[in-house]
Amino acid sequence: MKKNIIAMNASIMIGLGSILAAPSVYAESISNLEKQKESIQEKRSGVESNISETERKIDNLQDKQMTAEEQIAAIEAKIAESAKKIDAKNAEITQTKKEIEALKEEIKVLKERIAKRNEVLKERALSFQETGGDVNYLEVLFGSSSFGDLVDRVGAVATIAEADRDILKEHELDKKDLEEKQKAVETKLASLEVAKAELLEIQKQQKQQKQEKDALVKKLKQQTKKHEDEKMGLEEEKANLAAQEKAIKSAISLEHQRLAELEAARKKAAAEAKKRAEQEAAAQAAQAASQTSESKKQSSSSGYSAKSNSSSSSSSPSHSSSNVSSVPAVSSGTFTRPSAGYVSSTMGERWNKQHAGIDIAASGTVPVVAAADGVVSRSYFSSSYGNVVFVTHSIGGQQWTTVYAHLSSRQASEGAVVAKGQQIGIMGNTGHSYGQHLHFELHKGPWNYSKSNAVNPLNYINI
């Protein structure tokens, strides 16, 4: 009997030793969680800095875009002004061409007049040749019958000579005028054509400048869009880090609570062990003194055994049998499969983008479960992920993040503590999705926009 008591006390002390050793494990877990929290805070600070830098880039690009658009407006005004000048030159050219057409008519008349004068001059020249020129005038003079007739004949000769001189003079003047008018109009037309050509060249250069500025604005808009998308991703990453920090704080709080409960259990176990040891010592003394019957000792032993069995029974977990067939069985590894179905797409390059997880497809109503114990860091609707749940896990001092996307419904809210295999949603087809499936991501560390921490779930989960 004494041996049984000693063995029982040894068992109590071993159990108590296990309880006493547990706080250091929880303290280490809390220390790891605190380090993870600090790491997340540093990353949040870095992401906020990146957001500020991206906003600065966007502002700079928008300033350049505004400047380029102002320059385009100025160039367009110059192009419009050039167009007006070209229209004016075209009008002048049209008017000049009309003047040329009118001048052609004048030239035609002048040519006819000159031709007639040429005929008269030819006749005069022929007369001079036939009569000897001046001799003809002498015969006219000497053939006068009286002095009065002589005077008349002298006047006539003088008139004819003057007329000849006038004809020659007019002839020269008309020819000179014709030449000057032709030269003036041709010079004016040539000048207008040159001016028009210069204006067209200027307009061409202006249009080329506008095309270059248009191309610049287009490029700036593309760069701005790229940085705006980057900013949106960084803001989403910031939100996820904030949610993960909140989840880590919740986990730290839970660890402190467990540590407090463990400390209370330790004190209670120590008190019960002391009390039981005192009771056993009293019983041993009473047995030695009174030499009572062995039946009382056996009754005491069976009573303890019943109590122990009762305690063991009450501590065993209860399992609900509802929907067991539709929920995937929980595996013994670090992570369990998040849903039933087949892998329809693996991790890797897809559609010129990195597919950062796996797709599990199935038809009907398919429950989605947490792959490991953790805290829900985010539960919301995303334009790309659709209904999505993020769970933060702390396993062996390492932070992990799991992502469950395209859900038809979510059954876990932010801050909720979930157990491995606990249902958190229903498989669906929301967000940027084609057909019902679960998009599942596993990140060794926090989730970020570039998904640089993503690892292949198939290396960690047997699916």
Side-chain angles (χ1 to χ4, degrees), residues 180-378:
E180 288 178 352
K181 283 185 177 180
Q182 282 182 323
K183 185 177 180 181
V185 172
E186 288 171 357
T187 301
K188 181 179 180 181
L189 182 60
S191 175
L192 289 171
E193 293 290 354
V194 168
K196 178 183 175 181
E198 289 175 351
L199 287 171
L200 287 171
E201 182 61 28
I202 290 170
Q203 190 181 58
K204 180 182 176 181
Q205 293 175 0
Q206 290 168 343
K207 287 181 178 179
Q208 180 65 31
Q209 289 174 357
K210 183 178 180 298
Q211 288 177 353
E212 291 173 358
K213 293 297 180 183
D214 286 339
L216 175 61
V217 168
K218 183 178 179 181
K219 182 179 179 181
L220 290 171
K221 284 182 178 179
Q222 289 173 344
Q223 290 177 343
T224 302
K225 178 69 167 55
K226 178 185 175 182
H227 287 305
E228 285 175 346
D229 290 344
E230 182 181 346
K231 180 186 173 184
M232 287 177 64
L234 289 169
E235 286 176 342
E236 187 171 0
E237 183 176 348
K238 177 184 174 182
N240 274 296
L241 286 170
Q244 287 179 2
E245 183 181 350
K246 184 178 179 182
I248 292 293
K249 287 179 179 178
S250 176
I252 291 172
S253 177
L254 286 172
E255 291 297 297
H256 279 294
Q257 182 180 342
R258 288 173 187 170
L259 189 59
E261 290 172 353
L262 192 63
E263 180 65 18
R266 184 189 67 78
K267 290 180 179 179
K268 183 179 179 182
E272 288 178 352
K274 182 179 179 182
K275 182 179 179 182
R276 190 174 297 172
E278 290 174 351
Q279 288 175 346
E280 293 296 338
Q284 184 179 6
Q287 181 184 14
S290 62
Q291 296 292 317
T292 56
S293 66
E294 189 68 26
S295 61
K296 288 184 180 181
K297 298 176 185 178
Q298 291 175 351
S299 175
S300 174
S301 175
S302 63
Y304 172 78
S305 176
K307 182 178 179 182
S308 175
N309 289 338
S310 174
S311 174
S312 174
S313 174
S314 64
S315 64
S316 62
S318 61
H319 299 280
S320 174
S321 61
S322 62
N323 297 325
V324 170
S325 60
S326 60
V327 175
V330 178
S331 64
S332 59
T334 304
F335 298 98
T336 189
R337 68 177 296 153
S339 75
Y342 67 95
V343 177
S344 60
S345 182
T346 57
M347 182 175 177
E349 188 76 16
R350 188 176 75 172
W351 302 329
N352 296 322
K353 291 179 68 178
Q354 177 67 13
H355 187 235
I358 62 171
D359 293 342
I360 303 174
S363 59
T365 303
V366 184
V368 173
V369 303
D373 296 347
V375 178
V376 177
S377 53
R378 293 205 76 186

Side-chain angles (χ1 to χ4, degrees), residues 11-304:
S11 176
I12 291 170
M13 292 307 294
I14 290 170
L16 184 58
S18 298
I19 294 173
L20 289 171
S24 63
V25 175
Y26 279 95
E28 184 179 356
S29 175
I30 290 171
S31 175
N32 289 331
L33 288 170
E34 288 287 356
K35 289 178 181 177
Q36 291 175 21
K37 184 182 76 172
E38 291 173 2
S39 175
I40 289 172
Q41 287 173 340
E42 289 178 3
K43 288 175 181 175
R44 273 187 68 190
S45 177
V47 169
E48 287 172 353
S49 176
N50 289 338
I51 289 173
S52 298
E53 178 63 18
T54 303
E55 286 176 343
R56 187 191 65 76
K57 289 179 180 177
I58 290 171
D59 290 340
N60 186 37
L61 287 169
Q62 287 176 340
D63 288 342
K64 288 182 179 178
Q65 183 179 325
M66 187 178 296
T67 301
E69 287 173 347
E70 289 174 354
Q71 290 173 345
I72 288 171
I75 291 170
E76 286 175 342
K78 289 180 180 179
I79 290 172
E81 183 64 25
S82 296
K84 286 181 181 179
K85 289 180 179 179
I86 289 169
D87 289 341
K89 290 299 177 186
N90 283 330
E92 285 185 59
I93 289 169
T94 301
Q95 182 60 36
T96 303
K97 286 181 178 179
K98 287 180 180 179
E99 291 175 6
I100 289 172
E101 291 300 321
L103 183 59
K104 284 180 180 179
E105 292 298 322
E106 291 181 21
I107 289 169
K108 185 179 178 182
V109 173
L110 279 172
K111 284 181 177 180
E112 290 176 356
R113 191 185 307 162
I114 289 169
K116 288 179 180 179
R117 289 199 191 105
N118 282 333
E119 288 297 325
V120 173
L121 291 173
K122 284 178 182 179
E123 290 177 0
R124 296 283 183 175
L126 183 59
S127 174
F128 287 164
Q129 289 176 358
E130 291 176 349
T131 61
D134 292 339
V135 176
N136 189 31
Y137 290 113
L138 292 173
E139 289 178 354
V140 171
L141 293 174
F142 287 126
S144 59
S145 58
S146 64
F147 181 75
D149 184 28
L150 176 62
V151 171
D152 290 338
R153 289 190 178 216
V154 170
V157 170
T159 300
I160 292 170
E162 183 66 29
D164 288 344
R165 284 194 297 270
D166 289 343
I167 289 172
L168 290 171
K169 186 177 180 181
E170 287 179 10
H171 190 64
E172 291 298 325
L173 289 173
D174 285 341
K175 284 179 70 177
K176 185 178 180 182
D177 184 47
L178 177 59
E179 290 172 355
E180 288 178 352
K181 283 185 177 180
Q182 282 182 323
K183 185 177 180 181
V185 172
E186 288 171 357
T187 301
K188 181 179 180 181
L189 182 60
S191 175
L192 289 171
E193 293 290 354
V194 168
K196 178 183 175 181
E198 289 175 351
L199 287 171
L200 287 171
E201 182 61 28
I202 290 170
Q203 190 181 58
K204 180 182 176 181
Q205 293 175 0
Q206 290 168 343
K207 287 181 178 179
Q208 180 65 31
Q209 289 174 357
K210 183 178 180 298
Q211 288 177 353
E212 291 173 358
K213 293 297 180 183
D214 286 339
L216 175 61
V217 168
K218 183 178 179 181
K219 182 179 179 181
L220 290 171
K221 284 182 178 179
Q222 289 173 344
Q223 290 177 343
T224 302
K225 178 69 167 55
K226 178 185 175 182
H227 287 305
E228 285 175 346
D229 290 344
E230 182 181 346
K231 180 186 173 184
M232 287 177 64
L234 289 169
E235 286 176 342
E236 187 171 0
E237 183 176 348
K238 177 184 174 182
N240 274 296
L241 286 170
Q244 287 179 2
E245 183 181 350
K246 184 178 179 182
I248 292 293
K249 287 179 179 178
S250 176
I252 291 172
S253 177
L254 286 172
E255 291 297 297
H256 279 294
Q257 182 180 342
R258 288 173 187 170
L259 189 59
E261 290 172 353
L262 192 63
E263 180 65 18
R266 184 189 67 78
K267 290 180 179 179
K268 183 179 179 182
E272 288 178 352
K274 182 179 179 182
K275 182 179 179 182
R276 190 174 297 172
E278 290 174 351
Q279 288 175 346
E280 293 296 338
Q284 184 179 6
Q287 181 184 14
S290 62
Q291 296 292 317
T292 56
S293 66
E294 189 68 26
S295 61
K296 288 184 180 181
K297 298 176 185 178
Q298 291 175 351
S299 175
S300 174
S301 175
S302 63
Y304 172 78

